[in-house]
Amino acid sequence: KVANGTDAMEAFRCMVEMPDGLKRKKLKEDMLEYCKLDTLAMVEIFKKMEQLSQFRGTPKSKIITNLTSSLLN
């Protein structure tokens, strides 16, 4: 299972060296699922950053605290 970026790098390395077959197909599916979720997370972070950009002039530490807090809730 691919659960993080390090897993994804290792899975890609293995997949490139692996012959076609069910194991390679499963690894590819796992990688695509991870990448889909990773991309969704980045989109959500970007949306939140856009919302917070209205607070120009606000100290960055406060923006980061608000961003972190809203992502965890």
Side-chain angles (χ1 to χ4, degrees):
K1 183 168 178 150
V2 179
N4 58 51
T6 303
D7 290 349
M9 289 187 297
E10 180 65 19
F12 181 77
R13 186 192 64 74
C14 289
M15 198 176 79
V16 169
E17 298 171 355
M18 194 178 289
D20 286 341
L22 293 177
K23 189 173 180 181
R24 182 177 178 167
K25 181 180 179 186
K26 172 71 170 120
L27 191 54
K28 181 180 177 181
E29 290 169 358
D30 288 349
M31 286 181 60
L32 289 171
E33 182 63 24
Y34 167 77
C35 289
K36 179 175 77 173
L37 293 173
D38 190 55
T39 301
L40 176 61
M42 296 305 270
V43 167
E44 292 302 318
I45 289 169
F46 181 77
K47 286 179 184 177
K48 205 46 95 168
M49 289 175 72
E50 280 187 318
Q51 290 174 354
L52 292 173
S53 70
Q54 66 185 332
F55 300 110
R56 294 195 191 275
T58 303
K60 289 180 182 166
S61 60
K62 184 169 178 142
I63 293 172
I64 291 169
T65 300
N66 289 342
L67 174 63
T68 304
S69 175
S70 63
L71 287 173
L72 295 175
N73 294 324

